[in-house]
Amino acid sequence: MAKALSKVLKRKSNFELEKFVVKHQPYDLAEMVTALDFKERIYFFSNVAPETGAEIMENMEPEFQYRILDDVKDHVKISLLNHISSDKVVDLFLAIHPYQAGILMEYLQRDYQDKIKILMSYEANTAGSLASVNYIGARKHWTIEHTLEHVRKVGQNADLVSYIYVIDTHGKLAGVVSIKEIILAQPTVKLEEIAKKDIISALAEQHQEQVADILARYDLVAIPVVDNTKRMIGIINVDDLIDVIHEEATEDIQKLGGSQPLEETYFKNTVWDLFRKRIGWLLILFVAEAYTGNVLRHYEETLDQVIALAFFIPLLIGTGGNSGTQTVTTLVRAMAIGEVEFKDILKVVRKEVSTGLLLGISLGVVAFIRAEFLGVGFDIGSVVAITAICIVIWASLVAAVMPLILHKLRVDPAVVSGPFIATLVDGTGLIIYFSMAKLLLNI
Amino acid sequence: MAKALSKVLKRKSNFELEKFVVKHQPYDLAEMVTALDFKERIYFFSNVAPETGAEIMENMEPEFQYRILDDVKDHVKISLLNHISSDKVVDLFLAIHPYQAGILMEYLQRDYQDKIKILMSYEANTAGSLASVNYIGARKHWTIEHTLEHVRKVGQNADLVSYIYVIDTHGKLAGVVSIKEIILAQPTVKLEEIAKKDIISALAEQHQEQVADILARYDLVAIPVVDNTKRMIGIINVDDLIDVIHEEATEDIQKLGGSQPLEETYFKNTVWDLFRKRIGWLLILFVAEAYTGNVLRHYEETLDQVIALAFFIPLLIGTGGNSGTQTVTTLVRAMAIGEVEFKDILKVVRKEVSTGLLLGISLGVVAFIRAEFLGVGFDIGSVVAITAICIVIWASLVAAVMPLILHKLRVDPAVVSGPFIATLVDGTGLIIYFSMAKLLLNI
């Protein structure tokens, strides 16, 4: 594909370039452009319409965007920069060196510079940091006809034309009208007559995950972002929130796997990054797991008398860890998407313990058969089977209760990872095992 | 909130009801209506505008939708049913008893019935099953003016007005125009002049996860669904695909936790459902883990001589499981979102083994100190420390390679769950441990 583009560029015909470009999607064109050589790339961006060039650049990594902007002539730089959606400009400026960002900033118009600076001031992962100022604002007394005229004038630079936002004279968000309502309404109707005043919006400081939830709940295509005084800051489009939903799920998965979430894509993390994200939990769990040594030393005599008991240690504690992991991952996810809350704790415990009982009995039977096959005798077989039942129930209970309690204490329940539950159940499982052994074997 | 609605309903004024309804979001109204009593609910749906009533119902569970439709008079039933988005009608008909669905079907117009029947024929989780026929189609020779007139006529029933689809005389999808382009264009321009012919679409049989990926990649708000002959079947809106993204992440998390994914929300699953989804993997892992018993029996003599070796069994194999889980969850997620592929296997192995080396050394040092504290002597301490290093590296390697190979074999890599890796590493870890012990302790 990149070769086809190279070929077109060689002909030096803007007409053919235009024809090629309209036939492809910006995302695909971005991939092709990345494969071009230096000269071809400059020629491409200098000759393609700036709206198109900007849209293509929006699909690239900030580092690559910067290289392009650094390479092209000043007038191209100005028109590209002013056509890139403002949230992407912010991403770019925050990704490159502040000094480089400062230089690029000068190519923007003065009032646009101010807007970008405000957007850059919001903390990462907040609604403000995702907002784009490329929305269409209108006044409440405008008629539909007037509004459509306005859209025709400024719409080219708008990210998406799904809603028109009614802004009052203080810059406050006063209403929202969908483009569908505008098209369906009579030309003489005023916006205030059809605008929805019960507006779903996000606060600039709100966490992106909450914003994504709101957007999903109300089936919106874009959501306005306001500050504490209801002043409109920008909008977040659904495509940016889809990225957020992916990011947040990735974070939860990494946490459930017992490591701190990575901030970048996998390959952008160095070995050292991976080490830092993993060693913390690994050490905590290691130290916590170390008490299994004390438990075993405590039962050293028992173990010495019946060495066969040792054969089943990994099996029993492993099974506890496995069933605990099943429960905890299911529950943490259910909590993340709002299906389960702390107030459901009794329902959850009842459900998980009942399930644990069924699972435990099934595994207990298999454990007994397994013990017979190892030839350790009926007594030890019974100990192993009964312990299996108890451990599975115990693991289910712990895994059901822990994330709910942490959530109540406002700790992210995803810290209760599979490894966390497995570690917790290992030591307690051993105590159950040896108590059961002493009781049933009379040692 | 539900009480406020009750109050309004008591006044029996359609004007006040309308005033109340426009002030709230359909999602919130759905919650309020659910709390109403039988009579209030019938009154509500009989007096609210059918578009609004339908939009509110779309935010309810199919079972509740059915109860409402079953309760209201025939003319209300007809207008509600014909205003509900077609994908939601399909969901409803598939959720209730076929006999009940058959009766409701009769309230739809004949040609709409046919469309619904086609949509119902697609398998769950395919693009076809999510498609809605409430899109706006147009002909290529229509002018912008004509198109806008058409939108005004049929737009009320459209889900969302973001794109107009150009359909040829054979019903095939021939182009797409965004509503922004339509508003910006001159009234006399023909659609064929501005329609994009390089159309991003989904095939009806395609899996919903792939469709969500396409939509996210190209930043679309809706995606057209076509059959093998390019005939237009319907569109999928971004809000439905957001639900898909959530569902797919939930599935991956549940699989990574070592259970089969649940088909419904947590509380809709009975204890028996949970049991069935979990017992499979639990049994497989149990049987696989059972070989740790054989390993230990094999080293029974060694164990008998130095019982202190048993103290560290849970610690060492637990740590292997933990670091393996960290690696596998990170990688499986990276593969799910397309960051890592099989061809990266060498890069991944290098990265994970290096990280494993760093992690292993850190834990090895701690393990040695821990062994000293338990007072087992320098020799056993060394065995434990060296084993810790080896086990972490081994677990990292296995966890890096397994999901990539499974992916290559076209098995869903998410089956390599944390518990799976932990189990795999337990037995092999024991072999490493006792080999090391025999070697270093000369027993």
Side-chain angles (χ1 to χ4, degrees), chain A residues 17-83:
Chain A
L17 178 58
E18 173 71 16
K19 227 176 72 184
F20 183 86
V21 164
V22 295
K23 266 201 288 192
H24 294 89
Q25 299 287 330
Y27 175 88
D28 299 324
L29 287 165
E31 289 212 329
M32 294 181 222
V33 169
T34 315
L36 292 179
D37 68 28
F38 173 76
K39 274 194 170 167
E40 288 174 326
R41 213 153 55 214
I42 295 185
Y43 179 86
F44 180 85
F45 283 104
S46 308
N47 288 280
V48 89
E51 303 87 51
T52 319
E55 233 190 309
I56 294 169
M57 283 181 64
E58 286 176 13
N59 284 286
M60 296 172 170
E61 293 290 312
E63 294 74 20
F64 205 81
Q65 292 173 347
Y66 179 71
R67 266 167 61 192
I68 291 167
L69 289 171
D70 200 37
D71 289 343
V72 294
K73 291 220 174 97
D74 274 9
H75 73 277
V76 181
K77 201 176 324 203
I78 292 173
S79 61
L80 282 175
L81 257 180
N82 283 286
H83 279 93

Side-chain angles (χ1 to χ4, degrees), chain B residues 340-384:
Chain B
V340 171
E341 290 171 40
F342 181 75
K343 66 173 175 53
D344 304 315
I345 190 160
L346 284 180
K347 255 162 81 187
V348 170
V349 165
R350 208 160 42 225
K351 203 171 197 121
E352 291 297 334
V353 169
S354 312
T355 310
L357 181 69
L358 287 180
L359 292 170
I361 292 173
S362 315
L363 293 178
V365 172
V366 182
F368 185 80
I369 299 170
R370 165 67 186 156
E372 291 309 302
F373 269 102
L374 261 183
V376 292
F378 180 83
D379 287 349
I380 293 183
S382 309
V383 170
V384 171

Side-chain angles (χ1 to χ4, degrees), chain B residues 35-64:
Chain B
L36 291 178
D37 69 27
F38 173 77
K39 273 194 171 169
E40 287 174 325
R41 213 152 55 215
I42 295 185
Y43 179 85
F44 180 86
F45 282 103
S46 308
N47 288 281
V48 89
E51 303 87 50
T52 318
E55 232 190 309
I56 294 169
M57 283 180 64
E58 286 175 13
N59 284 286
M60 296 172 169
E61 293 290 312
E63 293 74 19
F64 205 81

